[in-house]
Amino acid sequence: MTANGWLQIIVYFVVLTALVLPLGRFMARVFEGERTLLSPVLRPVEIGLYRLAGVDATREQHCISYTIAMLVFNAAGFALVYALQRFQAVLPLNPAGMSAVAPDLAFNTAVSFTSNTNWQNYGGESTMSYLTQMAALTTQNFVSAATGIALVIALVRAFARTSAKTVGNFWVDLTRCTLYVLLPLAVLGALVLVWQGVPQNIGPYVDATTLEGAKQTLSQGPAASQIAIKQLGTNGGGFWSANSSVPYENPTPLSNFLQMLSILLIPAALTLTFGRMVRDERQGWALYAAMSAIFLAGVALCYWAESYGNTNFAALGLDPANMEGKEVRFGIANSSLWAVATTAASNGSVNAMHDSFTPLGGMIPIIMMQLGEIIYGGVGSGLYGMLLMVIVAVFVAGLMVGRTPEYLGKKIEAKEVKMALLAILVLPLFMLGFPAVAVLLPFGLSSMQDAGPHGFSEVLYLYTSQTANNGSAFAGFTGNTLWYNTTGGIAMLFGRYFVIIPMMAVAGSLVAKKTVPASAGTFPTHGGLFVGLLVGVILIIGGLTFFPALALGPVAEHFAMLTKSTF
Amino acid sequence: MLRELRPALVLIVMFTIITGLIYPLAITGIAQIAFPHQANGSLLVKDGHVIGSSLIGQTFTDGGYFQGRPSATSGPDPTDPTKTIDAPYNAANSAGSNLGPTSKVLIERIKGEVDKRKAENANAPVPTDLVTASGSGLDPDISPDAALFQVARVAKARNLSEDRVRRLVGEHVQGRFLGILGEPRVNVLALNMALDRLAPR
């Protein structure tokens, strides 16, 4: 660890925190339907879209119709992404002559991009045509992100409103989020990335003759536009196979800093949007504080583990700091910081290969995903996951003092707690259940690249990442098989929609409740005590559920490494 | 459910047009005008031929060139396209080794690299980045230490003084952005092109 490494981490956190307030307030204005700076340009487009779609923007939806609208929209998106992959060979914008994507891979990819996961069992430059990358994948990077944000806004309204029936209009939230929040940020981000060196063209791959006379094919494409939104929308799917470690995808330390910032920007700012919409910004800051405490602890541990490095390197007389799978321009500090940020959010893009991290350095990303990606989390999904955890935390606090728990003036009763727990328990079912089955099957085992405990970590990482809709991988693993494409697709579907449905049930129940005024007996949910309790509940639930599996993989491998064992 | 069908279909088509076609193509148009060099891959052209990209690393095997980091990329086998073979710095198939920290294959590969480097320069410790594969397999950079480590070999092969080559390396060290972000580094291709200009062969 170096002083400069810590300085980079601190600068990152300070800049992120400084942006929470302006962006959080801006998003609150967008979702409360107010005029913004961008309205003169975008309002006509917005109205035009409603007219074409037959949407009455003033008509709000009940919780169930809001959820159904979301599901129908996602199903339509799924069908389109699947079709574009299957027919890409006969469609335009395919200068590299890519053939149709196989059905199981196309299914996995379509689920992956509509569920905001961006798990990639394919290599972009060797599988997808430019049209597929733009019209199928880039589009989903926008609308799957907007879907998540719309959903959390519905839940926030359920907390903010008293004795109401409706939680907003899905089509309005989706449209306003895409037009006013995601599109302007993406345009800005894409242009900065091109300036830093990310290609943006639709020309053919370039054949170069290197200095030593060898042939090198330089793959090209409309990359910057996709990369900007892949980070902002916590999608994470790389234009190139090795994602943001590829110099074309992430050329400089500045592009790296801005991409890392984009990963957490919207999820972090949504905490303030929440505070603003429930008319008490302190409530948002309390959630931000709880998230930041766990995030910074994770960064410190990961940075320490990667700097401490690999004992097997030291035995060869090398500096043990782990540079395998990392890029020189980023070094240890930026690679560790990115790994934690991308898994705290449900982003999943990488600037270094997590599979080659040290055992403990690679365990931190797994833990971040297993906690449910609520440490800032995915756009929207992180905050609604965190609010479900808040329900459990105030329930625990209520049990301790023998009082009906309340949050923001809403009584939290049996129905809300049951639904919150249901959503929380879906994750371990698929994160642990599928690996348990996979390691018993010969075609489950044959995909492992590494022997020993690391092989198990690869399987655990795969299902953890897909269930949590993250999309990063221990990428030595061969995920593109019939078994893993199918079960992974199922894990992504359940990990996304079977958290959303109970969450929307909570919203439906809460919105109808009246708000009770705070009294002397009310447990304040904006102070240090609440933040501590929340962090404790998150760590206890996560720890009890996942520690045994982690002991078999990363922890076992760590002790093996210390004795200089190899497998 | 049926009343939601029309907005679902209309909006997915409209957003595909707006975010999937207009947005990337408009960015392409602006980028081609404002930053044509970067937008087309930061290509380096010498005597009318593309010799590579300043952002993408290349393989250097000749002792008279500085060498980059090991690369784990692969490519199709020219004799049997169903198989893949090692193809370092294949810029159409980026990849790291993805080998885990206790992998026997990894440690043996690194040991082989270390032995090779020690044979070439026994006077300095081998820099870790020079014997570990990068994440992309296309890392254009090495650490300043890894460049200095190779000075003696390059100077001898080029009939230059070590001081002159060391000065050339010093001129090619890129510092951190604003003194804070990233790590100091040397772009191998740029250094080797300067070397060719200094002592043409």
Side-chain angles (χ1 to χ4, degrees):
Chain A
M1 292 187 283
T2 62
N4 177 270
W6 285 111
L7 180 65
Q8 296 195 49
I9 291 168
I10 292 166
V11 167
Y12 173 75
F13 184 71
V14 168
V15 174
L16 177 70
T17 307
L19 291 172
V20 165
L21 195 69
L23 183 61
R25 285 189 176 167
F26 174 77
M27 286 194 288
R29 290 183 68 86
V30 168
F31 293 112
E32 291 186 329
E34 292 169 32
R35 272 187 70 83
T36 69
L37 203 63
L38 301 165
S39 296
V41 187
L42 294 174
R43 184 70 188 159
V45 180
E46 187 191 347
I47 292 171
L49 285 175
Y50 296 151
R51 201 162 291 158
L52 270 175
V55 170
D56 175 1
T58 57
R59 191 184 65 85
E60 290 219 341
Q61 290 165 317
H62 184 265
C63 217
I64 293 174
S65 30
Y66 195 99
T67 312
I68 289 173
M70 181 279 294
L71 288 173
V72 174
F73 179 72
N74 277 221
F78 169 87
L80 187 65
V81 177
Y82 186 83
L84 281 169
Q85 290 179 84
R86 299 285 292 142
F87 294 115
Q88 68 175 8
V90 293
L91 292 169
L93 283 171
N94 186 12
M98 300 296 178
S99 53
V101 181
D104 59 326
L105 180 58
F107 163 75
N108 187 283
T109 306
V111 174
S112 176
F113 277 76
T114 40
S115 65
N116 196 244
T117 307
N118 290 29
W119 177 273
Q120 295 172 292
N121 275 341
Y122 63 88
E125 65 270 49
S126 56
T127 318
M128 299 297 175
S129 75
Y130 291 166
L131 184 73
T132 309
Q133 295 261 28
M134 297 194 306
L137 306 185
T138 303
T139 303
Q140 283 302 321
N141 281 353
F142 278 96
V143 295
S144 71
T147 297
I149 297 175
L151 287 165
V152 80
I153 294 300
L155 179 63
V156 171
R157 290 193 187 113
F159 277 111
R161 293 176 178 180
T162 297
S163 313
K165 287 197 179 67
T166 58
V167 291
N169 182 314
F170 175 74
W171 305 115
V172 173
D173 291 340
L174 174 80
T175 305
R176 288 184 70 87
C177 181
T178 307
L179 291 182
Y180 291 83
V181 180
L182 297 174
L183 203 51
L185 285 173
V187 168
L188 194 67
L191 291 175
V192 175
L193 287 178
V194 179
W195 168 55
Q196 284 297 297
V198 178
Q200 180 73 27
N201 60 63
I202 47 172
Y205 292 3
V206 175
D207 282 329
T209 307
T210 68
L211 227 45
E212 286 197 342
K215 178 178 167 251
Q216 188 181 41
T217 301
L218 299 161
S219 48
Q220 303 289 323
S225 54
Q226 184 172 335
I227 294 163
I229 187 63
K230 96 172 185 196
Q231 306 298 21
L232 286 164
T234 60
N235 298 284
F239 195 89
W240 283 280
S241 173
N243 214 300
S244 282
S245 72
V246 178
Y248 265 167
E249 189 139 356
N250 190 6
T252 63
L254 179 62
S255 71
N256 187 68
F257 183 82
L258 295 173
Q259 288 189 35
M260 274 198 300
L261 201 60
S262 314
I263 290 176
L264 292 185
L265 183 61
I266 293 176
L270 276 171
T271 58
L272 193 108
T273 307
F274 158 72
R276 190 94 180 151
M277 289 177 76
V278 300
R279 307 278 169 260
D280 184 1
E281 287 188 358
R282 293 172 309 172
Q283 304 289 348
W285 286 115
L287 298 187
Y288 184 75
M291 292 168 170
S292 301
I294 298 178
F295 175 69
L296 292 173
V299 172
L301 272 169
C302 189
Y303 184 32
W304 169 80
E306 292 306 297
S307 308
Y308 179 84
N310 189 334
T311 328
N312 289 314
F313 290 5
L316 297 170
L318 297 170
D319 175 351
N322 185 15
M323 281 301 287
E324 178 71 19
K326 295 190 179 65
E327 302 281 304
V328 167
R329 63 195 179 284
F330 307 141
I332 305 281
N334 280 309
S335 302
S336 311
L337 178 59
W338 183 301
V340 180
T342 195
T343 49
S346 80
N347 187 286
S349 63
V350 296
N351 76 348
M353 294 301 119
H354 292 187
D355 209 350
S356 295
F357 271 35
T358 60
L360 296 184
M363 182 176 75
I364 303 297
I366 301 182
I367 292 177
M368 285 291 157
M369 294 185 284
Q370 288 175 337
L371 294 178
E373 287 174 348
I374 54 178
I375 311 309
Y376 312 115
V379 284
S381 59
L383 184 60
Y384 65 65
M386 183 53 116
L387 287 167
L388 294 175
M389 209 52 101
V390 165
I391 289 177
V392 178
V394 295
F395 170 64
V396 170
L399 286 180
M400 287 196 268
V401 296
R403 237 184 93 91
T404 306
E406 286 167 20
Y407 186 60
L408 307 173
K410 298 269 184 176
K411 280 200 165 27
I412 304 296
E413 291 166 302
K415 183 174 180 197
E416 290 80 37
V417 178
K418 278 185 204 160
M419 287 297 151
L421 282 174
L422 189 62
I424 290 168
L425 287 176
V426 166
L427 300 183
L429 183 65
F430 292 94
M431 287 177 179
L432 299 176
F434 269 137
V437 176
V439 295
L440 295 175
L441 299 169
F443 47 84
L445 290 172
S446 61
S447 283
M448 290 179 185
Q449 177 186 240
D450 290 71
H454 197 80
F456 176 73
S457 301
E458 289 183 342
V459 180
L460 182 65
Y461 198 108
L462 173 128
Y463 286 114
T464 300
S465 170
Q466 298 200 16
T467 310
N469 298 144
N470 184 276
S472 67
F474 271 10
F477 194 88
T478 311
N480 187 12
T481 67
L482 186 62
W483 163 260
Y484 283 108
N485 278 333
T486 312
T487 55
I490 293 169
M492 288 188 275
L493 278 175
F494 276 83
R496 176 85 166 171
Y497 299 103
F498 281 70
V499 174
I500 288 174
I501 291 167
M503 182 279 290
M504 288 303 281
V506 172
S509 160
L510 283 176
V511 75
K513 294 190 184 196
K514 60 177 190 296
T515 308
V516 284
S519 69
T522 305
F523 177 41
T525 51
H526 53 73
L529 185 63
F530 173 75
V531 171
L533 179 78
L534 182 58
V535 170
V537 166
I538 293 167
L539 293 180
I540 289 168
I541 291 180
L544 288 178
T545 317
F546 294 106
F547 186 76
L550 294 171
L552 289 175
V555 177
E557 192 188 12
H558 175 69
F559 288 107
M561 184 188 81
L562 290 183
T563 62
K564 303 192 175 60
S565 307
T566 53
F567 298 93
Chain B
M1 197 153 170
L2 283 176
R3 67 189 286 166
E4 311 297 355
L5 211 53
R6 176 176 164 200
L9 295 178
V10 171
L11 287 179
I12 192 68
V13 170
M14 290 312 294
F15 283 132
T16 300
I17 293 170
I18 295 172
T19 65
L21 293 171
I22 296 177
Y23 158 71
L25 294 176
I27 297 287
T28 306
I30 300 170
Q32 290 291 336
I33 294 164
F35 311 107
H37 175 68
Q38 293 98 312
N40 292 312
S42 308
L43 301 177
L44 298 169
V45 180
K46 194 175 148 191
D47 311 327
H49 299 287
V50 177
I51 59 160
S53 162
S54 60
L55 295 175
I56 303 289
Q58 301 187 350
T59 309
F60 290 101
T61 49
D62 188 327
Y65 281 121
F66 283 89
Q67 291 159 2
R69 304 177 63 193
S71 162
T73 57
S74 58
D77 187 338
T79 56
D80 177 4
T82 58
K83 295 205 181 95
T84 55
I85 52 164
D86 289 348
Y89 290 96
N90 177 0
N93 192 15
S94 55
S97 78
N98 280 307
L99 292 165
T102 57
S103 155
K104 194 165 275 169
V105 180
L106 172 70
I107 303 305
E108 272 165 15
R109 192 203 77 207
I110 293 179
K111 186 168 183 306
E113 296 281 346
V114 170
D115 291 345
K116 210 172 75 189
R117 292 296 172 189
K118 276 188 177 152
E120 132 191 1
N121 180 353
N123 301 324
V126 180
T128 305
D129 64 295
L130 201 53
V131 294
T132 47
S134 63
S136 60
L138 305 172
D139 197 337
D141 303 316
I142 52 178
S143 66
D145 278 349
L148 293 172
F149 183 89
Q150 303 182 52
V151 161
R153 186 198 73 225
V154 173
K156 191 160 168 245
R158 297 256 173 180
N159 284 324
L160 288 166
S161 77
E162 289 192 18
D163 273 348
R164 184 68 197 87
V165 178
R166 201 170 290 121
R167 216 163 57 233
L168 191 73
V169 170
E171 288 159 13
H172 282 81
V173 173
Q174 278 178 277
R176 294 187 170 96
F177 180 72
L178 301 178
I180 297 174
L181 299 181
E183 301 293 336
R185 60 201 193 276
V186 177
N187 184 304
V188 180
L189 180 55
L191 179 60
N192 282 335
M193 288 171 73
L195 202 57
D196 273 350
R197 283 193 296 271
L198 185 72
R201 297 194 297 176

